[in-house]
Amino acid sequence: LSLHDALPIYDLQKFIEESQLPGIVLKEVDARVYPEKTLAAHVLGYLGWQDNRQIGRYGIEGYFEKRLAGSLGFLSAEQDSTGSVIDVGDRNFNPAQDGADIVLTIDRVVQSIIEEELANGVRRYGAVRGSILVMDPTTDAILGMATYPTYDPNYYYAINEARVQLNPIISEIFEPGSILKPVIMAAALAEGTVTPETTFVDNGPVRVAEYTIDTYDGKHYGVQTMTQVLEKSNNVGMVWVGQQLGAEVIYDYFRRFGLGEKTGIQLEGETQNTLDEPANWNITTIATVSFGQGVALTPLQALHALNVIANGGTLLQPYVVARIRKNNGDEEITQPTTVRRVITKSVANQTTAMLVSVIENGVAKLARVPGYYLAGKTGTAQVPDEKGAYDPDRKIISFVGYGPVNQPRFSILIKLDDPAGLSFASGTAAPMFRNIAEKLLNYYQIPPDYDKDKVPPAIAPGGPDDQGA
């Protein structure tokens, strides 16, 4: 080790060869090396062993195993009785083919930012695990994807718990809680059921079948607009919205927003949770899904859906591969792809303005970056146990947001599993969002929307309608 540290690799090789040390030989071997170590480990996966051969596992390595591996060469020839090749005999030779090169959309700077913030956040708030996803909402390209605890793919075999290798952002479903409220509100706006100024009266908890549903903090504020419902993350208000929409409309918009189906991301291990048909819903189902409980999705599906609002109303195809370089020099370049229009631009703008107010005036004030209009929503959700009941000792807190809202450059999802104590997203995930957003705004050199030392002017609640479906 001391020789290796003191000498460059080629000088070390020369030293060993010239020294002719007894019992020391040099042998050239091929190896997959991950020079960035833990950086983006859950995106990359690793090259491991299976049935005495190397094979890609998880992430990009697993999904593109065949394209990365290439093909072995082949030589067949006639032999004589001694086993020697007959020079004039039939011979068939196919040379080995190198695999393709996969170029990702992951930005190394963005990835480094979120991995540092995530590790600090998990430790600071005593969470069991955490994840952060960053996307470009205008293209649905993944800019960063991190999970902590993580691992070093160079030493994948040293992992004691196989779960660490799984990427929960695409492989594990959770009940999102309040980060799903913007989807419900956008559906209500699109249907003309409400406007941002529509009011309802919050006089206390609401009774639905045998259940009592209350606000997260037990406080009630009387007459409330729909914007204030989101500002205060009011479960009672969202139940009222859900009841106005009904099961079939909510289900239809969930499907339009891409929920209940795989996104098709090019990573091994994506899972999905099918949506129960609305015929099987009851009044309790309508109430709970309205504030994000009783429906499960992956973190990628959650941010994928929010991007619809951020980009002006279209569902795009998420991707993590920018291009694939073939061994002949040709390239397959990934182009942003529109799946369908979900809501009009006007509805998307109205919902965005409401989410800006959540940060400027509501429960997510700690997510605010002075000088910039950012949209966001907090979420705190219960976790069902093996019997289907909610575990009183477990919870998931989360935050979704994007900005700057006039020309979004990034969207962010933060998820913390089982943080210690009485943690809420407003005091944990929200400031983590602010920290990341500040660094991204600086990294992308985005000028402020207004003078940060002055009171921000009100953002318009609507926008031009693009006549989409």
Side-chain angles (χ1 to χ4, degrees):
L1 289 176
S2 59
L3 283 174
H4 183 276
D5 293 337
L7 296 173
I9 185 64
Y10 294 111
D11 290 344
L12 178 60
Q13 177 181 341
K14 183 179 179 181
F15 169 80
I16 293 174
E17 289 174 339
E18 293 178 348
S19 299
Q20 297 183 351
L21 302 172
I24 304 292
V25 296
L26 292 176
K27 182 179 179 181
E28 186 175 304
V29 296
D30 293 327
R32 176 83 93 230
V33 178
Y34 302 90
E36 298 280 8
K37 299 182 179 180
T38 60
L39 191 76
H42 287 91
V43 178
L44 297 176
Y46 60 84
L47 190 67
W49 288 91
Q50 180 176 314
D51 299 328
N52 294 320
R53 69 185 184 93
Q54 287 189 301
I55 186 172
R57 304 291 303 276
Y58 303 103
I60 292 293
E61 293 277 21
Y63 191 92
F64 289 99
E65 155 62 18
K66 292 183 179 180
R67 299 199 68 174
L68 287 167
S71 59
L72 297 173
F74 176 80
L75 171 64
S76 64
E78 290 187 89
Q79 296 175 312
D80 60 22
S81 58
T82 65
S84 300
V85 175
I86 301 173
D87 292 336
V88 295
D90 291 336
R91 180 178 300 198
N92 183 20
F93 173 63
N94 289 324
Q97 299 291 327
D98 291 335
D101 293 330
I102 309 294
V103 181
L104 304 183
T105 60
I106 298 293
D107 185 311
R108 185 185 182 283
V109 174
V110 175
Q111 186 71 26
S112 298
I113 289 171
I114 65 174
E115 289 197 11
E116 180 181 10
E117 182 63 32
L118 180 59
N120 291 338
V122 168
R123 292 192 291 261
R124 183 184 305 119
Y125 302 118
V128 173
R129 185 171 60 172
S131 297
I132 296 179
L133 176 63
V134 180
M135 301 179 73
D136 179 344
T138 64
T139 65
D140 241 26
I142 293 176
L143 305 177
M145 178 184 283
T147 291
Y148 187 86
T150 186
Y151 69 99
D152 186 339
N154 291 295
Y155 306 103
Y156 66 90
Y157 46 81
I159 299 172
N160 294 322
E161 187 178 355
R163 184 188 182 206
V164 174
Q165 298 175 346
L166 290 174
N167 184 351
I169 294 175
I170 64 167
S171 298
E172 294 186 7
I173 58 174
F174 75 112
E175 296 190 15
S178 295
I179 63 172
L180 195 62
K181 288 176 181 176
V183 171
I184 299 291
M185 191 62 74
L189 293 169
E191 288 295 298
T193 304
V194 301
T195 70
E197 292 77 30
T198 297
T199 61
F200 98 109
V201 181
D202 175 17
N203 285 329
V206 60
R207 186 78 176 174
V208 179
E210 69 270 29
Y211 301 99
T212 298
I213 298 173
D214 202 355
T215 57
Y216 79 93
D217 58 0
K219 296 180 180 180
H220 300 274
Y221 299 90
V223 177
Q224 294 286 286
T225 66
M226 293 299 101
T227 298
Q228 290 172 321
V229 166
L230 287 184
E231 286 177 356
K232 297 180 174 64
S233 200
N234 191 321
N235 290 342
V236 176
M238 290 306 302
V239 170
W240 181 85
V241 173
Q243 290 171 339
Q244 310 310 304
L245 289 173
E248 291 189 2
V249 174
I250 294 175
Y251 175 86
D252 178 50
Y253 275 92
F254 277 178
R255 296 305 301 265
R256 293 191 197 185
F257 274 87
L259 305 183
E261 60 186 24
K262 289 185 177 181
T263 66
I265 192 64
Q266 301 147 303
L267 295 171
E268 186 185 64
E270 184 181 19
T271 189
Q272 71 179 67
N273 185 61
T274 56
L275 293 174
D276 204 8
E277 295 289 334
N280 298 323
W281 293 22
N282 54 36
I283 58 173
T284 303
T285 309
I286 295 173
T288 57
V289 300
S290 298
F291 54 86
Q293 297 275 182
V295 58
L297 59 157
T298 65
L300 175 59
Q301 289 174 326
L303 192 58
H304 176 49
L306 185 77
N307 286 345
V308 171
I309 300 171
N311 68 36
T314 58
L315 184 73
L316 302 171
Q317 174 62 50
Y319 62 101
V320 70
V321 174
R323 61 186 183 274
I324 300 175
R325 287 197 293 254
K326 301 179 183 179
N327 57 24
N328 63 1
D330 292 343
E331 285 193 340
E332 298 175 14
I333 299 176
T334 304
Q335 299 291 345
T337 303
T338 298
V339 178
R340 57 181 166 266
R341 174 157 287 281
V342 179
I343 53 179
T344 65
K345 188 174 182 179
S346 175
V347 168
N349 287 347
Q350 288 179 327
T351 311
T352 289
M354 297 168 80
L355 294 177
V356 170
S357 194
V358 172
I359 289 180
E360 294 293 333
N361 308 303
V363 295
K365 289 181 180 179
L366 290 180
R368 184 172 179 264
V369 177
Y372 295 90
Y373 288 120
L374 305 175
K377 185 70 192 73
T378 55
T380 303
Q382 295 175 292
V383 180
D385 58 24
E386 295 178 355
K387 298 180 180 179
Y390 289 110
D391 188 333
D393 299 321
R394 298 188 61 198
K395 62 185 172 183
I396 292 175
I397 61 177
S398 55
F399 191 94
V400 291
Y402 53 92
V405 296
N406 288 330
Q407 291 183 317
R409 293 291 302 275
F410 55 81
S411 60
I412 303 171
L413 178 143
I414 300 169
K415 175 175 173 281
L416 297 175
D417 298 357
D418 298 324
L422 298 175
S423 301
F424 291 101
S426 56
T428 54
M432 289 175 67
F433 171 85
R434 179 197 62 223
N435 294 341
I436 296 170
E438 282 181 329
K439 292 175 181 177
L440 294 183
L441 290 165
N442 181 62
Y443 173 53
Y444 291 128
Q445 298 184 348
I446 300 173
D449 297 313
Y450 59 90
D451 187 340
K452 67 178 182 178
D453 296 323
K454 297 181 179 180
V455 177
I459 188 170
D465 193 340
D466 58 358
Q467 303 302 313

